[in-house]
Amino acid sequence: MVVVGTRDMLPLLGPETADVTFEAVWWWGRLTRWDVACRLAPVVAGEGILRDVRLETIVEVSRWDLDLAQYLVRAWDGDPQTLAATVKDAGPGELAPPMVLSHPAWTARPHGDVAHLWDGGHLELWQNEHCPSPHSLIPTLDQCVWAAQSRVLLPWIESKRQLLVQALVQRFGEPKVNAAAARAADDPTPIEVGQLFYVVRALPTTDAPAWREASRQLKAARNRLAHLQTLPLDDQARLVAACARLGQDVGHGGGSI
């Protein structure tokens, strides 16, 4: 292993070890989400937003365990329903023993009471917090998947909501769209995803089935994520397919699709 650093990156263990040539080098809290994502990005399969969700999920689950991350890139099919089994298939990993941590996590090196845990592969510093081995997260894997999906899909859903509102305004005019929104909710602006579902159906959009399906899929996906539920891979694919043409509709007259 080659470590490239500067003198001020190395921890001082005491005056008797101040000579940098004899200083201990600790790998503690050096990996970040960005480091892991950059390492995996060139080899993660898929494309578009589905690939982004897959990559973010692997990073969220694997965290600092690069061996597990690279295994999931090769072996996991991207469906949250098969993730726990795939993690277990990766091997037993290092299960964290019961921990009583008396020192803060954000230190330059692991304190004496956690050094043995770090040295055994049970514990690392991740996002400025003590983080046990990812294999210890299997009982709460759904929470990890939800966090990853929400981080990627909620902003994407919002961007598609905006495109669909723009398409409706372009075709029917802002007064009609706002009037339909007012009938759907007490506070019509901005037109949120659930409200938009009813707006699309209140307007004469029977000749635009793709708009109706897009609004339905956006509402269903947002509601699942808002209630701490994950989206299976098939649901993700349906969501992306339903919204695929929204950007094309804006700027082309908002005609029927």
Side-chain angles (χ1 to χ4, degrees):
M1 180 178 71
V2 177
V3 177
V4 180
T6 61
R7 188 184 182 96
D8 61 356
M9 290 177 61
L10 300 176
L12 294 177
L13 303 183
E16 70 280 2
T17 57
D19 187 339
V20 71
T21 59
F22 295 99
E23 189 65 271
V25 178
W26 294 88
W27 191 272
W28 173 253
R30 296 303 183 193
L31 287 179
T32 67
R33 282 185 185 280
W34 179 251
D35 297 318
V36 180
C38 284
R39 186 182 182 92
L40 301 181
V43 292
V44 173
E47 59 183 18
I49 193 67
L50 294 180
R51 179 182 178 277
D52 293 344
V53 172
R54 178 185 174 88
L55 174 59
E56 186 65 27
T57 303
I58 293 174
V59 173
E60 180 67 28
V61 170
S62 302
R63 305 192 180 191
W64 48 269
D65 190 334
L66 292 176
D67 290 337
L68 176 60
Q70 292 176 123
Y71 178 83
L72 291 179
V73 166
R74 299 190 305 270
W76 183 43
D77 62 5
D79 194 333
Q81 296 175 337
T82 64
L83 183 56
T86 309
V87 172
K88 292 177 182 177
D89 290 343
E94 296 289 346
L95 298 181
M99 300 180 189
V100 178
L101 306 177
S102 59
H103 293 284
W106 40 266
T107 52
R109 60 186 176 87
H111 278 282
D113 61 345
V114 299
H116 67 291
L117 297 174
W118 168 79
D119 189 49
H122 300 298
L123 186 72
E124 252 291 355
L125 183 67
W126 178 256
Q127 301 297 97
N128 293 319
E129 298 287 344
H130 286 127
C131 180
S133 164
H135 289 270
S136 302
L137 300 174
I138 290 177
T140 59
L141 212 55
D142 282 348
Q143 297 175 21
C144 297
V145 174
W146 173 85
Q149 290 187 355
S150 297
R151 198 174 289 123
V152 176
L153 286 175
L154 286 179
W156 185 87
I157 288 172
E158 168 57 18
S159 69
K160 298 306 177 183
R161 180 200 70 82
Q162 293 178 20
L163 286 176
L164 184 49
V165 171
Q166 291 175 35
L168 291 171
V169 169
Q170 188 170 294
R171 178 172 178 181
F172 298 107
E174 191 169 355
K176 287 185 178 180
V177 173
N178 286 342
R183 292 193 296 271
D186 294 333
D187 185 8
T189 55
I191 304 173
E192 56 91 18
V193 171
Q195 186 182 2
L196 182 58
F197 172 82
Y198 297 103
V199 170
V200 170
R201 282 150 184 78
L203 295 169
T205 58
T206 53
D207 62 339
W211 287 357
R212 294 188 166 215
E213 178 62 12
S215 68
R216 187 178 75 83
Q217 291 292 341
L218 288 170
K219 175 175 175 285
R222 193 284 311 269
N223 285 351
R224 284 188 67 89
L225 293 173
H227 289 87
L228 308 182
Q229 299 174 347
T230 61
L231 291 178
L233 185 59
D234 287 346
D235 287 359
Q236 295 176 45
R238 279 190 286 270
L239 171 66
V240 173
C243 298
R245 289 195 55 185
L246 289 180
Q248 301 173 27
D249 300 322
V250 177
H252 290 81
S256 61
I257 54 177

